[in-house]
Amino acid sequence: MSMFHEGSRTLQDRFDGREIADRLEENRKRDAFNEEDRAFIHALPFFFLATAHGDSVDCSFKGGEPGFVRVTSDTTLEFPDYDGNRMYRSLGNILMSPSVGLLFVQFEGKRARLRVSGTARLIDDPARVAQHHGAKLVVEVAANAIFPNCPRYIPKVEAATPSPYAPRPDYTPPQPEWKYRDYIRDILPEGEREIVATTERIILDPEA
């Protein structure tokens, strides 16, 4: 299943991005978690969860001790639902429309970002819930797209340092590393391709 729909394609075509989007999907998207994904997810103390049902759209911060999100198979992960404000906007959306998006971000040290899209279901089996200390329910997500993507706009939180790639007046951000990749350079728009071809390759943040 493609990551893109008609709305995505409309804007890709408007801003000369369809070929780049297709090449990124071909080279970066995967359908199964690898060992790096597992280690990254298990080490994080939080993630962001996006859900929607009709006009009810929600983005929620989910936190816990590192390891509270568990990758349970090549294509599934689960996390506990802890005691909260009882609005159940996220879980209520899941009951009605199970499509979800998860965003895992690391702000300290080596910045990184991982997107997971999939289908969620709520689990109230006591044995499963008991495996997550303090949980009221467990949310299981079957992933259909796992996509690590550019962390260039993630600030270095520990030093309160904004991303060097963020646009601001009287400042020209450096070119991100991904534009120099062999499978991208030849399909950049002409102006960007010329900049990459002539710019000295000084990357302020090699993880971007």
Side-chain angles (χ1 to χ4, degrees):
M1 181 177 69
S2 174
M3 295 172 60
F4 312 120
H5 52 61
E6 183 178 351
S8 305
R9 292 305 194 187
T10 297
L11 292 170
Q12 289 168 10
D13 291 341
R14 177 180 175 185
F15 295 106
D16 197 14
R18 182 183 285 252
E19 288 184 278
I20 293 175
D22 287 343
R23 197 70 62 87
L24 286 170
E25 181 178 25
E26 177 185 347
N27 286 273
R28 301 289 282 170
K29 175 191 169 186
R30 47 184 173 263
D31 300 321
F33 295 108
N34 60 28
E35 288 305 313
E36 184 178 353
D37 298 332
R38 291 171 181 264
F40 179 59
I41 290 171
H42 292 170
L44 291 179
F46 67 89
F47 71 98
F48 301 94
L49 172 67
T51 62
H53 174 63
D55 293 333
S56 173
V57 179
D58 191 67
C59 183
S60 179
F61 177 94
K62 299 296 182 183
E65 291 293 311
F68 82 110
V69 183
R70 303 174 184 174
V71 177
T72 53
S73 78
D74 288 345
T75 58
T76 59
L77 60 76
E78 66 182 40
F79 60 89
D81 175 59
Y82 296 131
D83 184 54
N85 57 23
R86 312 297 173 92
M87 290 195 299
Y88 291 104
R89 286 177 53 79
S90 296
L91 270 60
N93 282 345
I94 289 171
L95 278 177
M96 303 300 294
S97 301
S99 294
V100 297
L102 287 70
L103 175 63
F104 297 91
V105 185
Q106 180 171 291
F107 293 97
E108 299 179 89
K110 180 182 178 181
R111 292 171 296 150
R113 176 167 57 186
L114 181 71
R115 299 183 184 190
V116 178
S117 299
T119 302
R121 68 185 183 108
L122 306 184
I123 298 173
D124 59 5
D125 173 62
R128 290 281 297 277
V129 174
Q131 295 175 15
H132 296 267
H133 181 73
K136 300 176 70 175
L137 292 169
V138 170
V139 181
E140 181 182 76
V141 178
N144 54 45
I146 301 161
F147 187 75
N149 67 312
C150 177
R152 61 174 161 153
Y153 294 117
I154 300 175
K156 293 181 179 294
V157 172
E158 68 272 26
T161 302
S163 167
Y165 297 94
R168 57 182 183 270
D170 302 317
Y171 175 73
T172 302
Q175 295 295 312
E177 183 273 339
W178 64 264
K179 288 186 179 181
Y180 293 89
R181 294 176 184 166
D182 292 338
Y183 60 85
I184 291 296
R185 294 181 61 158
D186 64 319
I187 57 172
L188 288 171
E190 183 176 354
E192 293 179 56
R193 193 182 315 144
E194 291 175 356
I195 293 173
V196 167
T198 59
T199 300
E200 183 178 0
R201 190 172 179 179
I202 300 175
I203 306 298
L204 297 185
D205 186 350
E207 282 120 43

